[in-house]
Amino acid sequence: MKSLFSFLMVATAVVCAASPGSPPRVEESPLGCVRRVFPMGQEWITFPLPDGVTVLRCLRKEPAYRSLHQYSVVRDAGSGPRLVHTHAVKKVNDQFARFELKGNEVWAYHANGALLARMRLWENPPALHAPAPEHARLRFTGTGEGHILCEAENLTDYPVLLRRGRVYIVLPEDKRTVFNNLCVWLREETLLAPRQKKPLQLRIFAKRAINPSGLMRRNQVHLVYRACDDKPISHPDAIAPAAIFQPGLPDLGDKDSLGLYRLSDEFAVAEGDSVGGHLGYQFDFYRLKQGAWQLATRVEQSANPRLGVFAYECNGNRVRILDSDEDTIMEVEVP
């Protein structure tokens, strides 16, 4: 799935367009257009919007990634329908209730009225993505014996549900972004009232209880959360985010276990763990331009991922990717 969705961002914006000068074909309806991109889709639902824009949803059953709701946005500008956005959500996380066209974006809302996603319509590849709406934030506050301490804040006027999940520790330091390898979990479901702040203890899973006091000496500690509970959402009236990333990152939809991190004010990276089905690395680098994230470049390298990515170093447009032995995995020039 990781490779497919990254490919769609830059390759399918023109798949459904009719050839110049050719008459529209019968199958070039919005549904016919999208079904040629997702032929295995099931249970199709159509949401018509103004100005020739249509949102379509299908169910994609992929055993390796569970069931997905695949959203596609199609625009008809008179020459035939054209695919202008794709956005995947794991079925268990899908809370989209209605859609609205706002300028060059389709906004998806929860039934309670909260904005859940901003699907920026592609004009030409590479794809542009709006910053994702922020629903909640985890702020590091300290450490304890076998625990990370944090404050969870609901940033909305609606209830927010944090399901059980994994929490990753990201350490920005000057031009480097470093990842701590502690295994940290939010063990209990937490319901946050509108604008509520609540202290939480995040358990460290290790062979022995430890107090990672070194985190207290860091200037910045970012906590990134990803829900791991695939049961039906217990409070459907609440927003139940699949992930809480660093603020302002591109709205890419559910990416299963894909890593999404901010490297600087203008750079972000979406990190995958496979290349064409083989062991290796895949990195999509995004650049922030005039309020939108643009897919700037993708790099792939077949390699032994045993040590994983430990840090990114940014020097101008050059990004160096390091493993946990401080060896270089690769260097990337971001255009």
Side-chain angles (χ1 to χ4, degrees):
M1 184 185 73
K2 302 181 182 75
S3 298
L4 172 62
F5 283 101
S6 297
F7 170 79
L8 283 169
M9 285 188 268
V10 296
T12 61
V14 295
V15 162
C16 304
S19 301
S22 63
R25 299 190 306 243
V26 173
E27 69 269 26
E28 292 293 271
S29 64
L31 179 58
C33 168
V34 177
R35 290 189 74 163
R36 290 199 285 134
V37 182
F38 300 106
M40 302 302 290
Q42 306 173 24
E43 301 176 13
W44 290 90
I45 300 177
T46 300
F47 306 89
L49 298 178
D51 298 333
V53 175
T54 305
V55 179
L56 299 100
R57 190 190 83 184
C58 69
L59 177 68
R60 293 176 56 200
K61 292 185 177 180
E62 300 184 5
Y65 301 102
R66 300 186 173 90
S67 293
L68 298 170
H69 278 163
Q70 174 67 57
Y71 288 90
S72 301
V73 184
V74 173
R75 166 170 273 166
D76 192 338
S79 60
R82 184 166 62 96
L83 182 65
V84 291
H85 196 92
T86 62
H87 190 102
V89 181
K90 282 171 53 177
K91 183 179 178 182
V92 70
N93 294 329
D94 191 358
Q95 296 185 285
F96 294 173
R98 67 180 181 90
F99 302 91
E100 185 175 355
L101 184 64
K102 291 269 195 177
N104 199 41
E105 296 178 353
V106 172
W107 288 17
Y109 295 91
H110 192 284
N112 65 18
L115 175 63
L116 296 181
R118 295 170 56 187
M119 305 177 195
R120 188 178 180 92
L121 306 188
W122 307 337
E123 294 296 339
N124 295 296
L128 295 176
H129 297 269
E134 263 198 283
H135 302 122
R137 192 174 294 170
L138 299 179
R139 293 187 179 89
F140 172 77
T141 57
T143 64
E145 192 67 23
H147 291 88
I148 299 293
L149 307 178
C150 75
E151 177 187 74
E153 181 182 5
N154 180 351
L155 302 175
T156 76
D157 294 323
Y158 309 93
V160 168
L161 177 69
L162 301 181
R163 293 167 287 169
R164 295 175 62 253
R166 176 77 184 268
V167 177
Y168 303 86
I169 301 172
V170 183
L171 305 171
E173 48 180 45
D174 297 325
K175 296 181 179 181
R176 285 166 57 103
T177 299
V178 178
F179 303 102
N180 188 283
N181 60 3
L182 285 177
C183 183
V184 183
W185 289 88
L186 175 62
R187 298 183 64 197
E188 297 182 354
E189 189 176 88
T190 300
L191 184 64
L192 300 172
R195 303 294 172 181
Q196 182 184 12
K197 298 179 181 179
K198 181 180 289 189
L200 299 178
Q201 287 190 345
L202 309 175
R203 181 176 173 182
I204 298 171
F205 279 78
K207 292 183 178 179
R208 60 186 181 86
I210 56 174
N211 185 347
S213 56
L215 292 177
M216 297 297 294
R217 296 191 292 271
R218 296 281 185 169
N219 291 328
Q220 295 185 75
V221 177
H222 293 173
L223 301 179
V224 174
Y225 157 89
R226 188 177 293 277
C228 297
D229 193 346
D230 282 347
K231 297 193 298 292
I233 295 170
S234 60
H235 294 77
D237 56 322
I239 306 165
I244 299 174
F245 295 117
Q246 295 158 283
L249 285 167
D251 196 353
L252 302 180
D254 280 5
K255 287 292 185 178
D256 200 66
S257 60
L258 191 72
L260 180 60
Y261 304 104
R262 191 140 192 182
L263 304 183
S264 67
D265 289 341
E266 64 172 325
F267 288 143
V269 63
E271 172 192 317
D273 58 4
S274 66
V275 178
H278 302 285
L279 292 179
Y281 301 92
Q282 176 176 296
F283 305 92
D284 286 347
F285 286 90
Y286 294 85
R287 184 189 289 272
L288 187 62
K289 289 185 176 181
Q290 299 178 339
W293 288 97
Q294 183 178 43
L295 178 59
T297 190
R298 166 182 300 151
V299 292
E300 297 179 345
Q301 177 173 310
S302 297
N304 182 357
R306 177 177 59 86
L307 299 177
V309 175
F310 169 71
Y312 293 88
E313 287 184 352
C314 294
N315 186 7
N317 289 342
R318 269 198 100 65
V319 180
R320 184 169 169 239
I321 308 172
L322 307 173
D323 66 21
S324 56
D325 283 341
E326 296 277 345
D327 293 328
T328 299
I329 296 174
M330 68 175 72
E331 291 191 16
V332 181
E333 184 80 26
V334 182

